Amino acid sequence: MIEKYLLPEPDGLPTRPSQDYVLYKLKALSTYLKIAITAVGKKWPEIFYIDLQAGPGKNDVGNSVVLGSPLIALTTEKHPTQFRFNELDPELKNALDQRISASPLKDRVKSYQADVNEVIIQICDEIRERDRLARVNRQPSVLNIAFLDPEGLELHWVTVEQLASMNRMDLIINFSTQGIIRNIGAGNFEVVNRFFGTDQWREIDKPGSSPVARRRVLIDFYRQRLEKFGYHIKIDPELGGDEIAISNSKNSQIYSLIFASKHPIADKFWKEATKNVKQPRLLGF
Ligand SMILES: C[S@@+](CC[C@H](N)C(=O)[O-])C[C@H]1O[C@@H](n2cnc3c(N)ncnc32)[C@H](O)[C@@H]1O
């Protein structure tokens, strides 16, 4: 089945059962990579794609199999030059490795099986060292694109901070609105504190306000915390940022995909990438 490992088809290896709303984030990711790398690829000798919760590489959605984020990055036509994947679950990591073995780019991949909040140290050390060498050789630093796709709140703010402190790190983050509301409701404030890197979210969160207003405030708070690392965070007072908000069939907000870059041109690419992949508005939303 190796000939099917990189195709959106069953190949005998484990897949990740998923709801159809994953399609929006995957489409946003693939379109962003295409637009951004086509536009700036020549300017950057090294483009790292970093996927810290990569899954097995394929998702089962209804009756079809779709490529997951790591295989999207690996098979996109204008591709990054280096790939760093991580997946905690050994079975899923093994499936991902087998699929990667079918890629002509396999020598550019390093894959890890670790907790997202631990693996980050060695990945950032590697990028820092590449950037140091680039400075010595008077070359551009590494352009990094990180796709952070947690299931809930397991991605700690200190991890995002480590990524954000790299010279050039564009961030696409699956912001689990559902996970936040659920953990706040259950009184798991320590979990929420680790996610935001502070307990100050308590000063701005209004549990009685509408889900849309509540989400807005929490996302803006999270994004604004990136500003001190040089991120270009523009927040329209009426509309907020350019994130995509995804709900399930019961109109409950599941996640928002948020984007942050230190360069305004990347915001333009993201806007372009997401303009056609926003979920149609559900009734009453
Ligand atoms: C939402 S899924 C990722 C899906 C994948 N990005 C895709 O597009 O197909 C999240 C993944 O993170 C893994 N995971 C959960 N907790 C983790 C942790 N603490 N560290 C690393 N991976 C973790 C899960 O096993 C799961 O495969």
Side-chain angles (χ1 to χ4, degrees):
M1 290 284 231
I2 190 162
E3 70 285 356
K4 298 212 163 160
Y5 280 1
L6 300 175
L7 301 175
E9 293 177 26
D11 57 11
L13 296 173
T15 52
R16 192 169 183 273
S18 305
Q19 302 292 328
D20 59 1
Y21 46 74
V22 301
L23 298 175
Y24 297 99
K25 69 179 174 191
L26 297 175
K27 180 80 180 152
L29 172 68
S30 66
T31 315
Y32 181 76
L33 290 177
K34 187 171 168 195
I35 293 175
I37 298 177
T38 303
V40 301
K42 285 208 182 84
K43 189 175 158 225
W44 298 88
E46 285 281 32
I47 303 179
F48 271 49
Y49 172 80
I50 298 158
D51 198 327
L52 297 180
Q53 296 189 243
K58 292 193 186 184
N59 294 289
D60 247 320
V61 180
N63 291 327
S64 42
V65 171
V66 298
L67 296 186
S69 52
L71 290 201
I72 285 175
L74 208 54
T75 58
T76 187
E77 196 188 327
K78 302 268 183 200
H79 55 78
T81 58
Q82 290 288 329
F83 304 83
R84 299 294 175 265
F85 297 142
N86 177 61
E87 168 55 47
L88 184 60
D89 182 303
E91 196 193 352
L92 301 186
K93 197 277 188 176
N94 185 274
L96 178 61
D97 284 347
Q98 290 194 58
R99 291 182 171 122
I100 294 167
S101 72
S103 166
L105 300 176
K106 60 176 184 285
D107 294 341
R108 294 162 181 248
V109 178
K110 281 190 198 163
S111 73
Y112 303 88
Q113 191 225 323
D115 184 280
V116 55
N117 302 299
E118 289 172 9
V119 75
I120 190 61
I121 297 170
Q122 43 194 318
I123 292 178
C124 285
D125 279 351
E126 182 188 0
I127 295 169
R128 222 176 276 110
E129 177 58 12
R130 292 241 181 178
D131 279 349
R132 191 189 66 76
L133 288 174
R135 263 195 314 277
V136 170
N137 296 321
R138 295 175 188 275
Q139 284 179 344
S141 60
V142 179
L143 170 63
N144 303 283
I145 302 172
F147 185 64
L148 306 174
D149 192 12
E151 294 172 316
L153 303 193
E154 67 271 19
L155 174 68
H156 301 165
W157 178 256
V158 287
T159 302
V160 177
E161 268 186 337
Q162 290 181 70
L163 287 164
S165 65
M166 297 296 104
N167 191 36
R168 182 68 196 275
M169 178 70 68
D170 294 349
L171 298 168
I172 302 173
I173 307 177
N174 179 344
F175 185 93
S176 172
T177 331
Q178 196 181 50
I180 295 173
I181 305 296
R182 199 177 43 228
N183 276 286
I184 294 176
N188 297 331
F189 300 137
E190 273 311 309
V191 173
V192 185
N193 292 350
R194 272 198 300 270
F195 175 77
F196 282 107
T198 172
D199 61 3
Q200 283 168 3
W201 59 270
R202 297 183 82 156
E203 293 163 21
I204 49 111
D205 180 39
K206 302 266 181 306
S209 61
S210 76
V212 174
R214 206 170 169 198
R215 181 193 72 212
R216 175 78 277 128
V217 164
L218 292 169
I219 289 178
D220 289 349
F221 177 70
Y222 190 87
R223 290 181 79 233
Q224 271 164 344
R225 286 175 57 70
L226 287 168
E227 244 171 357
K228 64 171 182 279
F229 296 98
Y231 280 81
H232 182 250
I233 304 295
K234 63 173 176 21
I235 293 175
D236 182 311
E238 300 268 312
L239 301 170
D242 286 327
E243 78 276 354
I244 318 180
I246 302 300
S247 305
N248 65 12
S249 57
K250 294 187 185 133
N251 252 1
S252 298
Q253 292 168 17
I254 304 293
Y255 67 87
S256 296
L257 207 55
I258 61 181
F259 179 80
S261 173
K262 296 183 186 180
H263 200 293
I265 188 81
D267 288 322
K268 241 179 88 197
F269 298 152
W270 178 250
K271 205 172 186 131
E272 177 70 22
T274 53
K275 78 174 181 233
N276 294 323
V277 294
K278 291 195 176 156
Q279 189 180 32
R281 256 166 206 261
L282 299 170
L283 276 179
F285 186 67

